[in-house]
Amino acid sequence: MRQVELGRAMPLETAREAPTRLRRLRRTEALRNLVRENHLHATDLILPVFVDEAADEPVPIASMPGVSRIPLKRVAHEVEAIARDGVRALMLFGIPAEKDAVGSDTLAATGLMARMTQAAKAAAPDLVVITDNCFCEYTDHGHCGVLMDDGHIHNDQTVANLARQAVVAAEAGADMVAPSAMMDGQIAAMRAALDAAGFDHLPIMSYSSKFASAFYGPFRAASGCDLVGDRKTYQADPMNGREALRESALDEAEGADMLMVKPGLPYLDVLTQIRARTELPLGVYQVSGEYAMIKFAAAAGALEEDRVVRETLGAFKRAGADLILSYFTRQVLREGL
Ligand code: PBG
């Protein structure tokens, strides 16, 4: 036995039990790769795409550097290029030339939602094409539904319109519909309408736990939505975690095939808790404000963009997301995962 001198730290080898040394598995890149718990795959990522009916050229979005609205007439060309970069799934947002009080353009089989969906599917049949089902981009007041004279958004009239809109998207060839209006009962109504129209095979990804977030700021500019007021009467209160869990539980009970938390980073707690409560595939949306924060901080030289982007996407996986909607999708796939 070695003598331990008083006043000196006890050498580790004399400790009775071998100490845990977590650094052993961090010594080399190869070891770190071997024990990595979460990995990003191309199939985890969904790219949101803005389609502008009136534009002739791509329209850069100043508050989202690197993101442009695609002219409807160039959807085929752009979607082919996006697919070549390795993107597997798209979420389509339309900016129509004409808006009105109810967003009637999007209820027509000849409207923008139908035409952009057809164009995207025709250009890249293997791509999963998802439609954002809502009305805020299509209404002149910018709300997600039917605005009443007294200023409130009529729940059940909006739900009826969402059900019609879902069938329009399905008939145009969408692989999945994603309602984001946060109306009560919208999933059950859309499911019933799709089934009745012969689309019982078409899945619904619900924006189930969607918060009334200030992080959607740049999206409003991107989607040409001049909202008067706010969405606090239909989207969940950012201070409420349990309410968000109830929202997702209700949507599952109504027949949603997939759930989603939105925004992402500020709501990782909600993501983890929903993961623990459901067996459904779970998505998360890294929204426009999250994208802008990283882009502007990187442009200012404050952050290393690549690493920060991967760290945030990794955080979503670690917190329990199966799928991530992110404006960084194309960029990270082009650079290689
Ligand atoms: C509603 C919708 C919004 C976003 C996606 N779908 C806007 C809102 O709810 O105000 C925001 C996405 C983002 O900020 O990136 N159609």
PDB file of all heavy atoms in Angstrom, residues 296-308:
ATOM      1  N   PHE A 296     -28.901  36.841 -38.282  1.00  0.00           N
ATOM      2  CA  PHE A 296     -28.399  38.190 -38.002  1.00  0.00           C
ATOM      3  C   PHE A 296     -27.233  38.150 -37.020  1.00  0.00           C
ATOM      4  O   PHE A 296     -26.286  38.929 -37.141  1.00  0.00           O
ATOM      5  CB  PHE A 296     -29.528  39.103 -37.524  1.00  0.00           C
ATOM      6  CG  PHE A 296     -30.454  39.516 -38.640  1.00  0.00           C
ATOM      7  CD1 PHE A 296     -31.784  39.093 -38.666  1.00  0.00           C
ATOM      8  CD2 PHE A 296     -29.992  40.307 -39.686  1.00  0.00           C
ATOM      9  CE1 PHE A 296     -32.629  39.456 -39.709  1.00  0.00           C
ATOM     10  CE2 PHE A 296     -30.834  40.669 -40.728  1.00  0.00           C
ATOM     11  CZ  PHE A 296     -32.160  40.248 -40.743  1.00  0.00           C
ATOM     12  N   ALA A 297     -27.299  37.254 -36.054  1.00  0.00           N
ATOM     13  CA  ALA A 297     -26.184  37.150 -35.103  1.00  0.00           C
ATOM     14  C   ALA A 297     -24.933  36.664 -35.824  1.00  0.00           C
ATOM     15  O   ALA A 297     -23.824  37.137 -35.556  1.00  0.00           O
ATOM     16  CB  ALA A 297     -26.551  36.209 -33.951  1.00  0.00           C
ATOM     17  N   ALA A 298     -25.107  35.733 -36.759  1.00  0.00           N
ATOM     18  CA  ALA A 298     -23.956  35.228 -37.518  1.00  0.00           C
ATOM     19  C   ALA A 298     -23.399  36.321 -38.427  1.00  0.00           C
ATOM     20  O   ALA A 298     -22.186  36.489 -38.535  1.00  0.00           O
ATOM     21  CB  ALA A 298     -24.353  34.002 -38.334  1.00  0.00           C
ATOM     22  N   ALA A 299     -24.291  37.082 -39.054  1.00  0.00           N
ATOM     23  CA  ALA A 299     -23.840  38.156 -39.942  1.00  0.00           C
ATOM     24  C   ALA A 299     -23.060  39.213 -39.162  1.00  0.00           C
ATOM     25  O   ALA A 299     -22.151  39.849 -39.694  1.00  0.00           O
ATOM     26  CB  ALA A 299     -25.045  38.791 -40.643  1.00  0.00           C
ATOM     27  N   ALA A 300     -23.403  39.380 -37.889  1.00  0.00           N
ATOM     28  CA  ALA A 300     -22.704  40.358 -37.047  1.00  0.00           C
ATOM     29  C   ALA A 300     -21.398  39.794 -36.493  1.00  0.00           C
ATOM     30  O   ALA A 300     -20.683  40.480 -35.768  1.00  0.00           O
ATOM     31  CB  ALA A 300     -23.620  40.799 -35.910  1.00  0.00           C
ATOM     32  N   GLY A 301     -21.139  38.526 -36.809  1.00  0.00           N
ATOM     33  CA  GLY A 301     -19.903  37.914 -36.344  1.00  0.00           C
ATOM     34  C   GLY A 301     -19.977  37.397 -34.912  1.00  0.00           C
ATOM     35  O   GLY A 301     -18.970  37.029 -34.319  1.00  0.00           O
ATOM     36  N   ALA A 302     -21.189  37.366 -34.356  1.00  0.00           N
ATOM     37  CA  ALA A 302     -21.324  36.949 -32.957  1.00  0.00           C
ATOM     38  C   ALA A 302     -21.412  35.437 -32.799  1.00  0.00           C
ATOM     39  O   ALA A 302     -21.091  34.899 -31.733  1.00  0.00           O
ATOM     40  CB  ALA A 302     -22.569  37.599 -32.348  1.00  0.00           C
ATOM     41  N   LEU A 303     -21.872  34.736 -33.835  1.00  0.00           N
ATOM     42  CA  LEU A 303     -22.069  33.284 -33.746  1.00  0.00           C
ATOM     43  C   LEU A 303     -21.510  32.601 -34.980  1.00  0.00           C
ATOM     44  O   LEU A 303     -21.504  33.174 -36.073  1.00  0.00           O
ATOM     45  CB  LEU A 303     -23.573  32.941 -33.677  1.00  0.00           C
ATOM     46  CG  LEU A 303     -24.370  33.358 -32.453  1.00  0.00           C
ATOM     47  CD1 LEU A 303     -25.829  32.976 -32.667  1.00  0.00           C
ATOM     48  CD2 LEU A 303     -23.831  32.689 -31.200  1.00  0.00           C
ATOM     49  N   GLU A 304     -21.115  31.352 -34.792  1.00  0.00           N
ATOM     50  CA  GLU A 304     -20.692  30.521 -35.910  1.00  0.00           C
ATOM     51  C   GLU A 304     -21.950  29.828 -36.429  1.00  0.00           C
ATOM     52  O   GLU A 304     -22.468  28.912 -35.787  1.00  0.00           O
ATOM     53  CB  GLU A 304     -19.747  29.454 -35.366  1.00  0.00           C
ATOM     54  CG  GLU A 304     -18.432  29.326 -36.054  1.00  0.00           C
ATOM     55  CD  GLU A 304     -17.620  28.234 -35.398  1.00  0.00           C
ATOM     56  OE1 GLU A 304     -17.130  28.438 -34.282  1.00  0.00           O
ATOM     57  OE2 GLU A 304     -17.515  27.149 -36.000  1.00  0.00           O
ATOM     58  N   GLU A 305     -22.422  30.275 -37.583  1.00  0.00           N
ATOM     59  CA  GLU A 305     -23.754  29.861 -38.038  1.00  0.00           C
ATOM     60  C   GLU A 305     -23.930  28.343 -38.136  1.00  0.00           C
ATOM     61  O   GLU A 305     -24.876  27.777 -37.572  1.00  0.00           O
ATOM     62  CB  GLU A 305     -24.071  30.510 -39.384  1.00  0.00           C
ATOM     63  CG  GLU A 305     -25.452  30.124 -39.905  1.00  0.00           C
ATOM     64  CD  GLU A 305     -25.866  30.943 -41.103  1.00  0.00           C
ATOM     65  OE1 GLU A 305     -25.491  32.123 -41.189  1.00  0.00           O
ATOM     66  OE2 GLU A 305     -26.576  30.386 -41.960  1.00  0.00           O
ATOM     67  N   ASP A 306     -23.009  27.714 -38.841  1.00  0.00           N
ATOM     68  CA  ASP A 306     -23.124  26.262 -39.059  1.00  0.00           C
ATOM     69  C   ASP A 306     -23.312  25.477 -37.781  1.00  0.00           C
ATOM     70  O   ASP A 306     -24.175  24.604 -37.664  1.00  0.00           O
ATOM     71  CB  ASP A 306     -21.792  25.744 -39.606  1.00  0.00           C
ATOM     72  CG  ASP A 306     -21.774  25.800 -41.085  1.00  0.00           C
ATOM     73  OD1 ASP A 306     -22.651  26.462 -41.634  1.00  0.00           O
ATOM     74  OD2 ASP A 306     -20.873  25.171 -41.663  1.00  0.00           O
ATOM     75  N   ARG A 307     -22.459  25.767 -36.826  1.00  0.00           N
ATOM     76  CA  ARG A 307     -22.482  25.011 -35.572  1.00  0.00           C
ATOM     77  C   ARG A 307     -23.740  25.326 -34.766  1.00  0.00           C
ATOM     78  O   ARG A 307     -24.338  24.437 -34.166  1.00  0.00           O
ATOM     79  CB  ARG A 307     -21.234  25.291 -34.756  1.00  0.00           C
ATOM     80  CG  ARG A 307     -19.974  24.763 -35.417  1.00  0.00           C
ATOM     81  CD  ARG A 307     -18.766  24.936 -34.541  1.00  0.00           C
ATOM     82  NE  ARG A 307     -18.943  24.295 -33.243  1.00  0.00           N
ATOM     83  CZ  ARG A 307     -18.249  24.632 -32.161  1.00  0.00           C
ATOM     84  NH1 ARG A 307     -17.367  25.609 -32.205  1.00  0.00           N
ATOM     85  NH2 ARG A 307     -18.462  23.988 -31.033  1.00  0.00           N
ATOM     86  N   VAL A 308     -24.138  26.584 -34.780  1.00  0.00           N
ATOM     87  CA  VAL A 308     -25.338  26.955 -34.023  1.00  0.00           C
ATOM     88  C   VAL A 308     -26.570  26.291 -34.644  1.00  0.00           C
ATOM     89  O   VAL A 308     -27.437  25.772 -33.934  1.00  0.00           O
ATOM     90  CB  VAL A 308     -25.487  28.492 -33.978  1.00  0.00           C
ATOM     91  CG1 VAL A 308     -26.868  28.883 -33.461  1.00  0.00           C
ATOM     92  CG2 VAL A 308     -24.409  29.092 -33.083  1.00  0.00           C
TER      93      VAL A 308
END
